[in-house]
Amino acid sequence: MLIDTHCHLDYLPLSPRLPEILMSASSSGIDRFIVPGVEPQSWERIISLSRKDERIFAAPGVHPMHADRWNSEAAEFLQRLVPEIVAVGEIGLDYLDGMPPRELQQAVFRAQLKIAKGAGLPVIIHCRKAFADLLRILLEESAGPVQGVMHAFSGSVEIARECIARGLKIGVAGPVTWNNAVKPVKVVQEIPLHHLLLETDSPDIPPEPHRGEVNEPAFLVEIARKVAEIKGITVEEVAGVSTESAKALFSRQSAR
Ligand SMILES: [Zn+2]
């Protein structure tokens, strides 16, 4: 059994084909799905998916690219959702060109970290080209370890180790399977399996041999296979360990 720890099932073009997509995932052995939010308008959708299907778990949050949609109303809304969610996500920093101002992203990230911490919930972190600021903010906002995952981790082995030292798991997504992959392969090589979580980030970043297609949770097996190949172990071992880590992190799901 595998858990897709990051898939946007509420998004086009996945949402209209959801029954078919879940069926195909289930025949590939993927039968739990963590669905992060990206902005308040999407939260209703992911909550209603999680209410309708016990395999789906909601992780609402405001993505750094939507930092300007965070306000006191969103904070109250998120707080109200706490009893039925498994994490706050996806939150973080994205310093690619065209993203909201860094100061705004940082403030919105801090506010959501506080809510997650107060609620005892883990965080799903999105970080691009902002690792130094991210690690500094995590340190400032939390004296102890931070429960969470660095989703679709794109950094180096050294940064992965720093994240793990802060308590975080490392999310492995499609890029590890790509023919030109270097950094993600090194990360999987060097980081012990029990620190890794598997995710598709569907409908984006499909793994080989599905590049150019719409990504979907069934393709998670390609990522599990690649991790097994890199580590020289069986897919069953990868599935067993990563599923246990995912259950432990998003523990409210195993209670259900
Ligand atoms: Zn995502």
Side-chain angles (χ1 to χ4, degrees), residues 17-247:
R17 295 196 294 126
L18 199 53
E20 181 197 325
I21 279 164
L22 294 178
M23 193 107 76
S24 140
S26 156
S27 46
S28 300
I30 296 108
D31 55 13
R32 282 184 186 173
F33 312 88
I34 313 286
V35 184
V38 292
E39 47 93 21
Q41 280 195 331
S42 74
W43 298 351
E44 301 276 11
R45 293 203 303 264
I46 64 175
I47 291 289
S48 99
L49 286 179
S50 73
R51 283 180 185 155
K52 273 186 245 158
D53 191 319
E54 60 180 14
R55 298 168 295 176
I56 298 177
F57 301 88
V62 170
H63 191 291
M65 81 174 148
H66 295 308
D68 55 356
R69 309 211 185 149
W70 179 258
N71 51 36
S72 59
E73 215 176 304
E76 279 163 34
F77 187 11
L78 184 56
Q79 196 69 59
R80 266 203 312 279
L81 294 177
V82 162
E84 48 183 329
I85 65 181
V86 295
V88 173
E90 53 184 288
I91 64 175
L93 303 175
D94 192 325
Y95 288 175
L96 252 53
D97 287 346
M99 290 291 163
R102 294 179 180 193
E103 301 68 36
L104 176 65
Q105 290 190 38
Q106 292 175 13
V108 172
F109 180 45
R110 283 182 198 273
Q112 295 183 94
L113 277 175
K114 286 197 179 87
I115 290 178
K117 203 179 165 204
L121 284 168
V123 286
I124 296 174
I125 297 178
H126 170 106
C127 183
R128 276 196 297 193
K129 305 210 179 285
F131 291 106
D133 280 356
L134 189 105
L135 287 161
R136 178 179 52 78
I137 290 172
L138 287 176
L139 199 61
E140 287 167 5
E141 293 296 333
S142 182
V146 182
Q147 297 293 312
V149 56
M150 297 295 289
H151 125 75
F153 182 72
S154 58
S156 65
V157 173
E158 292 67 34
I159 296 171
R161 291 207 176 102
E162 285 184 56
C163 294
I164 289 167
R166 300 294 307 125
L168 296 163
K169 300 282 179 200
I170 302 297
V172 182
V176 77
T177 68
W178 296 352
N179 295 327
N180 56 352
V182 179
K183 261 206 268 182
V185 172
K186 281 220 176 87
V187 166
V188 170
Q189 258 162 5
E190 298 295 323
I191 301 299
L193 183 60
H194 66 274
H195 290 304
L196 304 179
L197 296 185
L198 307 183
E199 58 165 287
T200 59
D201 199 19
S202 45
D204 300 323
I205 53 174
E208 298 284 1
H210 301 286
R211 292 185 78 180
E213 297 172 31
V214 172
N215 196 8
E216 58 175 79
F219 300 165
L220 192 67
V221 290
E222 304 298 342
I223 298 162
R225 264 188 213 131
K226 187 67 186 190
V227 170
E229 184 195 308
I230 294 169
K231 289 204 165 292
I233 56 177
T234 63
V235 178
E236 289 69 27
E237 204 175 332
V238 171
V241 173
S242 64
T243 298
E244 279 317 303
S245 304
K247 281 187 184 171

